[in-house]
Amino acid sequence: MTDLSHLAQLVEQLPNAKVLCIGDVMLDRFVYGSVTRISPEAPIPIIRVERESAMLGGAGNVTRNATALGASVRFLSLVGDDLPGREVMEYVANDKGVEPYIQIERNRPTTIKTRYIAGGQQLLRSDNETTAILAAATISNLSALAAQLAPDVSAIVLSDYGKGVLHGDVVAATIAAARKAGKPVIVDPKGTDYSIYRGATVVTPNRAEAQAATGIDIQSDEDAIAAATKIITECGIENVLLTRSQDGMTLVTSKGEATHLPTEAREVFDVSGAGDTVVACLASAIAGGASLSDAARIANVAAGIVVGKIGTAVVYPDELISVLHHHDLMIGEAKLMPLDRMVDRVERWRRKGYKVGFTNGCFDLLHPGHLSLLQQARSNCDRLIVGLNSDASVKRLKGEARPVQSEAARAAVLGSLETISGVVIFGEDTPITVIEALKPDILVKGADYTIDKVVGADIVQGYGGKVVLANLADGFSTTSTIARINQGKD
């Protein structure tokens, strides 16, 4: 199984995820129209309204994203005793994946954000809201409910939009209950003081939020690591997943491990709600059994999908699986590169301390014997490069009827294997030129050779490298397979 196939399997497990989402719900209104003239009263456009729509926003959008992925969600939030609040309650009730625990506070308006859009562009946004502290009885009630609900889910999301629901007491009660029950807490933070989330499993600030919280100008990977590390050490948070727009994401753990995930977006139409998608996908994947690293990679793919949609959108499992499978099919081509580029890649690997292995062959009609050889080769190194005979080279070595598959097809199949890190096609009868250029630490061939007969063995041993003879799986060969196929045609 390839790495991306593994991620696709994790996506298929999302319907098993049970998530508790706590945070500020709001009503997102969208007013669409056209602009053909400027107001005579002021230098502003006049929008002619054509249609209106509304949907859940804030923490409500997190729940929408989680249920769209197949997760079941317990949703704890707050609305005012007003018409927009009842509209929010209706939207929540219509989502069959949500078990609502929506509280009502009188004399407090439900948050509404209204966006005016014309020609695909947002002209104006108006906010009707309050950030006043909740009543003491409301805070106490939210804290008690959070502690009560936490043990019965697999992951907890704190979606903080700064509208009052995630008061410090509510946050502390939730994290304490989660830690006692051994449940991970994923926080989409607000403000500049992340110490209020002390004890959380992971926080997911965007670049601007992390800069404001740490005072570090984040322009490079190193800056991202520094900012995340500062949050971890100073705020008592276990991990940070920092979202960086066109620069992808950076995951930093309390152990000091850092992983940079390149952006997956092919076209960006609308980034609104992308943060909600990331936190919902991250939490749902963790709740479904994924590791933090795998969950971050799935969330990164989801973010790439959602920014390609118009409006505050959601991502569905079939979309995730489709993209992952597409990458799986294309990854073989990504691993294939000319020798000069492979030399550069090997140098980068060596700077990271990786041991590089090399093996070669025709690999025409890949069979279990090939897989055994490649697995043994990979077990002796950190990165394995395969030298692949070109079609012309195979023809000279094996006869006019070979190869059965083209060099492009053979390279794609090899590149799809997780054991292989790179593929180089060579046109000569031997890979001596490739070996001289790459200078592998480990050279692997089958045990049907002796070391003195292995091409390049003297070169590798000359600079201190090692030659490994891999055991051969009996009963498998491309030649005998082709012979059996041809027998059936007689």
Side-chain angles (χ1 to χ4, degrees):
M1 181 190 300
T2 67
D3 194 30
L4 293 175
S5 295
H6 169 64
L7 295 183
Q9 281 197 345
L10 291 174
V11 173
E12 291 172 353
Q13 295 175 14
L14 291 178
N16 299 323
K18 295 182 179 179
V19 177
L20 169 60
C21 180
I22 308 173
D24 303 294
V25 69
M26 56 192 69
L27 192 63
D28 279 350
R29 293 196 189 280
F30 298 86
V31 179
Y32 299 93
S34 57
V35 173
T36 58
R37 61 196 182 101
I38 301 298
S39 171
E41 302 167 356
I44 56 173
I46 297 174
I47 183 170
R48 181 168 183 166
V49 177
E50 296 169 352
R51 63 185 177 92
E52 299 183 28
S53 66
M55 63 179 63
L56 293 177
N61 191 43
V62 176
T63 67
R64 289 178 60 234
N65 273 272
T67 58
L69 290 167
S72 57
V73 180
R74 291 183 170 186
F75 185 29
L76 178 57
S77 190
L78 176 83
V79 294
D81 185 14
D82 50 22
L83 285 175
R86 286 187 277 279
E87 192 173 349
V88 166
M89 299 279 274
E90 184 176 351
Y91 279 119
V92 173
N94 287 337
D95 190 335
K96 302 304 180 185
V98 176
E99 184 178 327
Y101 293 83
I102 308 298
Q103 308 301 296
I104 297 174
E105 184 169 288
R106 296 182 182 278
N107 302 318
R108 186 183 188 90
T110 300
T111 300
I112 309 170
K113 293 186 177 182
T114 305
R115 297 168 176 87
Y116 296 86
I117 301 168
Q121 299 294 320
Q122 188 176 146
L123 303 180
L124 175 70
R125 193 184 89 182
S126 65
D127 292 356
N128 182 5
E129 63 182 20
T130 179
T131 57
I133 297 176
L134 302 180
T138 303
I139 294 171
S140 178
N141 190 36
L142 288 170
S143 300
L145 277 170
Q148 175 187 327
L149 296 171
D152 296 327
V153 295
S154 301
I156 300 162
V157 173
L158 300 182
S159 179
D160 196 347
Y161 275 80
K163 310 305 178 190
V165 169
L166 289 174
H167 181 275
D169 290 352
V170 178
V171 172
T174 304
I175 293 176
R179 293 183 70 86
K180 182 178 180 180
K183 310 296 183 179
V185 178
I186 298 91
V187 181
D188 190 1
K190 192 70 174 177
T192 58
D193 181 12
Y194 289 3
S195 65
I196 65 170
Y197 310 117
R198 185 174 300 276
T201 307
V202 58
V203 294
T204 63
N206 60 33
R207 190 201 308 264
E209 290 168 338
Q211 287 179 164
T214 63
I216 296 173
D217 183 22
I218 303 171
Q219 299 297 328
S220 65
D221 290 351
E222 291 72 22
D223 297 334
I225 293 171
T229 301
K230 185 174 183 180
I231 291 170
I232 289 170
T233 55
E234 294 185 1
C235 301
I237 291 163
E238 293 180 25
N239 310 281
V240 173
L241 180 63
L242 200 164
T243 59
R244 302 166 57 194
S245 301
Q246 72 276 7
D247 294 321
M249 300 180 181
T250 296
L251 175 64
V252 180
T253 72
S254 55
K255 296 179 181 178
E257 300 165 339
T259 304
H260 301 293
L261 303 173
T263 181
E264 294 284 348
R266 286 168 288 181
E267 291 185 278
V268 177
F269 289 101
D270 194 339
V271 298
S272 59
D276 296 334
T277 299
V278 168
V279 72
C281 192
L282 186 72
S284 298
I286 291 172
S291 66
L292 175 59
S293 176
D294 284 343
R297 294 174 64 195
I298 294 170
N300 190 42
V301 174
I305 295 171
V306 81
V307 296
K309 300 182 178 184
I310 299 295
T312 309
V314 297
V315 175
Y316 297 97
D318 60 330
E319 293 176 304
L320 276 171
I321 292 171
S322 177
V323 170
L324 289 168
H325 283 168
H326 173 74
H327 285 338
D328 215 3
L329 290 172
M330 299 300 290
I331 197 168
E333 296 180 17
K335 290 181 182 177
L336 173 65
M337 59 184 60
L339 182 57
D340 56 347
R341 285 182 55 204
M342 189 62 76
V343 169
D344 291 340
R345 176 173 286 187
V346 167
E347 286 305 312
R348 291 197 297 272
W349 286 338
R350 286 211 171 95
R351 285 197 293 270
K352 293 181 179 181
Y354 295 147
K355 184 183 296 183
V356 179
F358 178 85
T359 191
N360 66 278
C362 300
F363 297 100
D364 196 16
L365 295 182
L366 202 68
H367 55 66
H370 291 139
L371 296 178
S372 176
L373 169 69
L374 295 169
Q375 287 165 353
Q376 291 177 69
R378 178 63 176 79
S379 69
N380 282 278
C381 61
D382 300 307
R383 297 289 185 271
L384 176 63
I385 298 172
V386 173
L388 182 67
N389 289 81
S390 67
D391 289 349
S393 176
V394 175
K395 194 177 294 293
R396 290 195 303 270
L397 295 172
K398 301 290 185 178
E400 288 297 319
R402 301 282 296 277
V404 175
Q405 299 184 101
S406 70
E407 60 192 48
R410 290 181 284 127
V413 171
L414 288 170
S416 69
L417 300 177
E418 188 177 359
T419 51
I420 294 174
S421 303
V423 179
V424 174
I425 296 175
F426 63 94
E428 302 80 13
D429 291 345
T430 74
I432 194 71
T433 301
V434 180
I435 293 171
E436 288 175 336
L438 296 179
K439 296 181 175 59
D441 304 292
I442 306 292
L443 177 60
V444 182
K445 285 296 286 185
D448 53 341
Y449 286 78
T450 57
I451 289 182
D452 61 305
K453 298 296 183 182
V454 175
V455 172
D458 55 335
I459 296 172
V460 173
Q461 291 177 323
Y463 55 70
K466 180 180 178 183
V467 179
V468 174
L469 299 180
N471 296 324
L472 297 178
D474 295 332
F476 300 102
S477 82
T478 301
T479 302
S480 61
T481 300
I482 294 172
R484 287 195 296 273
I485 293 172
N486 288 333
Q487 283 178 356
K489 297 180 180 178
D490 295 337

